[in-house]
Amino acid sequence: MKLRADLFFPLRLTPRKYPTGGTIFMEQNMFCFQCEQTAGCTGCTGAKGVCGKTADTARLQDELTGALIGLAHAADENTPLAETTWKLMVEGLFATLTNVSFDDKAIAEITDRIHQEKARLRPDCGGCASPCGHNDDYDMKLLWNAQEDIRSLKSLILFGIRGMAAYAYHAMTLGYTDTEVNEFFAKALFALGEDWDMDLLLPIVMETGKYNLSCMELLDRANTATYGTPAPVTVPLTVEKGPFIVITGHDLHDLKLLLEQTEGKGINIYTHGEMLPCHAYPELKKYSHLKGNFGTAWQNQQKEFAELPAPVLFTTNCLMPPKPSYMDRVFTTGTVTFPGTVHINEEKDFTPVIQRALELGGYQEDQHFTGINGGTSVTTGFSHGTILGVADQVIDAVKAGAIRHFFLVAGCDGARSGRNYYTDFVKQSPSDSVILTLACGKYRFNDLDLGTIGGLPRLMDMGQCNDAYGAIKVAGALAEAFGCGVNELPLSMVLSWYEQKAVCILLTLLHLGIKNILLGPTLPAFISPNVLKILVDTYNIGAVTTPEAVVRVLINILSIIVSA
């Protein structure tokens, strides 16, 4: 059935004033509006972005992106491609994700490698000064200064494939690739460099969601085949006395290598941020010195790491510029880089990190930390394999009326005020509802004890942001069991976004035809009013308002569905 838009949206979506294109960005030090915290909800244009990257870094990231678009034009159907081509596309896109690389030299080196690869693909173009689409990089100012709707659609494509590249990178690390996914990276990059209208760009936007679904499935398969199926586990927030290392980011492979290299050395390992779900994987959990989780979401790291008597290893985003008080304890690896920190190269010898942990010595006594709501432990590991394993129990609880609603409250956390909305929403959710969550936004409420319902915990952490694939699998299975579509399920999605992985996940949900998604805490600055209208008219997408209003409206919708 079709739901009334006026019931679902108690408040109309009112777009902010957006830049209108033309030459406005040419006069600024930089231009970047790819993340939720962008200055003034319009774009960072000064000497430094809100994330901490400088105007020079932003320029180099644009040059890297322009080189990738040039590489996509060189890699046409008549040109034999090597694995190095695909790897460069993925690595280059990942390096431009928010809070990944702040190192100008490292970014320039990737751009140089892209130029070398393009020269390999087009050896006859090296001495030609005439631009033909095969030997020149794309000027990103053309995109930033495009007509606002074209810029909006191209931004959705670009930011979507940047997020998707993170998942492809992690899968590639474990030896898993997908030819169709790789070819779509090239197709999407090619489209960014073309003078196409909205009718041609809109299908590419939707295809981004389609291929991101394939990419998330690929990573899910890579992770479970390598480390086993995640199972529910309670993770303590206490840090035991003695030397330890904190590992943050998303890379399971790096954690496995660190666990192997620290085994038997008297060093404990604690996860941070989106590494929390690693505790649920059997092949990682088996290491007794993987002790617990330290801290909360990424935006609190400058406070939480300030006095930490241990090194921190960053495997992916989100890295914030380290404060001088702990700069000497920050180590990076993979695509993550920051000037002045020690970078562990692709050989993955973590000896410098281990030595620093032993030098610092850790805490003298056990330290008992809590989550933001005072909880002393958190639970994770409710993967789609686990939940579908008790599908009969879930279905029976729904049919018996024990469970009346499912809320997927998921996505990125961030520093902008207003994100306590998600804490309040979960606290005010009805006692006969189940909260599914994933990604780092869960730190707003994952230490709450919501009790059980129908023999199941009311709060289920499904994993990292890429485990949105698992939520999709569960929703599809429930829809099949009840003989309805996903949009007819007693399921509501209340999402938070911060960076580009949230963009590609949103596009995947839209590709699947999922409607009535609530998004916050603010709407993306790169969505123009006309593109926003398309999303509202087609998918009924809306903005978060207040927890009380949203809970009331969603329960009203459920009553209409049940009585229909």
Side-chain angles (χ1 to χ4, degrees):
M1 64 174 292
K2 181 174 175 62
L3 300 175
R4 287 173 47 202
D6 62 329
L7 176 62
F8 189 74
F9 298 111
L11 296 177
R12 292 184 61 191
L13 292 176
T14 304
R16 63 178 65 89
K17 293 183 179 180
Y18 294 85
T20 57
T23 59
I24 182 171
F25 304 135
M26 303 286 285
E27 302 169 359
Q28 308 296 340
N29 292 313
M30 63 178 285
F31 178 71
C32 183
F33 62 171
Q34 70 173 359
C35 79
E36 190 270 337
Q37 66 183 10
T38 192
C41 292
T42 56
C44 294
T45 59
K48 181 179 291 187
V50 175
C51 70
K53 71 179 177 185
T54 66
D56 284 341
T57 301
R59 174 182 56 79
L60 288 167
Q61 288 182 341
D62 276 357
E63 290 177 1
L64 191 160
T65 304
L68 285 172
I69 294 172
L71 178 61
H73 280 74
D76 61 23
E77 66 274 9
N78 299 315
T79 307
L81 302 182
E83 286 300 315
T84 54
T85 310
W86 305 124
K87 183 178 180 181
L88 270 174
M89 284 187 184
V90 168
E91 185 180 345
L93 286 166
F94 190 16
T96 59
L97 201 76
T98 299
N99 289 2
V100 170
S101 182
F102 295 81
D103 192 321
D104 293 354
K105 181 180 178 182
I107 296 170
E109 286 176 350
I110 298 176
T111 304
D112 288 343
R113 287 163 50 206
I114 294 169
H115 288 153
Q116 292 168 17
E117 181 66 9
K118 188 166 65 171
R120 185 190 71 80
L121 296 175
R122 295 286 177 177
D124 297 334
C125 292
C128 178
S130 176
C132 65
H134 290 308
N135 67 336
D136 50 325
D137 293 348
Y138 179 74
D139 185 352
M140 289 297 290
K141 291 188 179 69
L142 296 174
L143 195 159
W144 306 138
N145 289 290
Q147 189 273 338
E148 65 176 349
D149 297 327
I150 300 300
R151 180 175 66 239
S152 183
L153 293 175
K154 286 191 173 185
S155 294
L156 278 168
I157 295 169
L158 174 59
F159 303 154
I161 61 174
R162 283 178 175 176
M164 183 172 135
Y167 302 147
Y169 180 92
H170 293 309
M172 191 180 297
T173 298
L174 297 176
Y176 286 73
T177 60
D178 184 306
T179 300
E180 291 187 354
V181 168
N182 287 339
E183 289 175 348
F184 179 73
F185 281 124
K187 177 180 180 178
L189 285 165
F190 184 94
L192 294 175
E194 295 299 298
D195 188 18
W196 290 355
D197 61 18
M198 291 183 69
D199 290 339
L200 290 174
L201 291 172
L202 268 170
I204 307 295
V205 171
M206 289 298 103
E207 277 191 282
T208 304
K210 171 186 175 181
Y211 285 103
N212 181 61
L213 179 62
S214 298
C215 197
M216 290 194 297
E217 186 278 331
L218 179 72
L219 180 54
D220 178 81
R221 182 156 34 96
N223 284 339
T224 54
T226 306
Y227 304 112
T229 299
V233 59
T234 298
V235 182
L237 303 182
T238 293
V239 176
E240 297 179 11
K241 65 180 181 180
F244 67 97
I245 296 170
V246 172
I247 183 169
T248 188
H250 302 77
D251 200 301
L252 278 64
H253 180 63
D254 284 337
L255 174 58
K256 179 66 159 56
L257 295 176
L258 182 64
L259 288 167
E260 291 175 346
Q261 294 179 35
T262 52
E263 192 170 21
K265 295 184 178 179
I267 298 173
N268 290 327
I269 306 299
Y270 293 86
T271 55
H272 173 268
E274 288 234 50
M275 295 298 282
L276 168 63
C278 296
H279 290 271
Y281 286 89
E283 290 301 308
L284 300 174
K285 183 182 177 182
K286 70 181 183 181
Y287 290 91
S288 60
H289 60 301
L290 179 59
K291 289 290 186 177
N293 190 73
F294 174 81
T296 53
W298 67 272
Q299 76 278 2
N300 300 319
Q301 63 188 260
Q302 291 179 332
K303 176 182 177 181
E304 293 174 345
F305 295 164
E307 304 298 330
L308 194 68
V312 182
L313 175 63
F314 283 84
T315 64
T316 64
N317 64 314
C318 290
L319 168 67
M320 297 177 72
K323 298 289 187 181
S325 60
Y326 66 92
M327 173 80 83
D328 65 328
R329 304 194 293 279
V330 171
F331 295 79
T332 61
T333 191
T335 311
V336 189
T337 54
F338 194 91
T341 63
V342 176
H343 186 75
I344 306 299
N345 64 25
E346 59 187 15
E347 294 180 1
K348 301 294 183 179
D349 180 358
F350 293 120
T351 299
V353 190
I354 294 169
Q355 290 176 339
R356 192 73 180 111
L358 293 172
E359 291 169 0
L360 291 166
Y363 293 112
Q364 297 300 309
E365 301 292 338
D366 293 355
Q367 300 294 308
H368 303 287
F369 297 102
T370 68
I372 66 171
N373 301 288
T376 58
S377 65
V378 293
T379 302
T380 188
F382 290 93
S383 65
H384 63 88
T386 295
I387 295 177
L388 295 180
V390 293
D392 291 344
Q393 188 177 350
V394 174
I395 293 168
D396 289 344
V398 173
K399 289 181 176 179
I403 298 176
R404 291 188 64 232
H405 207 93
F406 295 89
F407 293 103
L408 177 62
V409 187
C412 316
D413 206 354
R416 192 186 297 276
S417 61
R419 287 182 178 267
N420 58 326
Y421 165 92
Y422 298 94
T423 309
D424 296 339
F425 182 94
V426 169
K427 287 181 177 179
Q428 296 179 35
S429 61
S431 60
D432 54 5
S433 65
V434 169
I435 307 295
L436 303 175
T437 190
L438 52 89
C440 65
K442 61 174 162 260
Y443 281 100
R444 294 281 172 169
F445 50 81
N446 69 339
D447 63 323
L448 291 171
D449 182 3
L450 299 184
T452 60
I453 180 172
L456 300 166
R458 281 195 58 221
L459 178 59
M460 300 186 193
D461 175 14
M462 300 189 71
Q464 297 181 332
C465 55
N466 54 279
D467 292 307
Y469 171 76
I472 291 168
K473 290 277 287 184
V474 168
L478 288 175
E480 183 178 353
F482 288 110
C484 65
V486 172
N487 290 320
E488 281 71 52
L489 284 173
L491 168 67
S492 302
M493 298 188 183
V494 185
L495 308 182
S496 58
W497 85 282
Y498 169 68
E499 41 91 323
Q500 297 73 62
K501 284 180 280 186
V503 175
C504 64
I505 290 172
L506 176 63
L507 293 179
T508 292
L509 296 175
L510 300 184
H511 156 72
L512 293 170
I514 295 175
K515 298 183 178 182
N516 303 327
I517 298 169
L518 291 181
L519 182 66
T522 61
L523 296 176
F526 50 83
I527 302 294
S528 69
N530 287 333
V531 172
L532 179 62
K533 186 176 187 302
I534 292 172
L535 297 180
V536 173
D537 291 347
T538 308
Y539 301 102
N540 233 21
I541 193 169
V544 297
T545 53
T546 66
E548 298 86 357
V550 172
V551 170
R552 183 175 64 252
V553 169
L554 294 177
I555 295 303
N556 285 342
I557 289 174
L558 173 62
S559 300
I560 291 175
I561 293 175
V562 171
S563 61

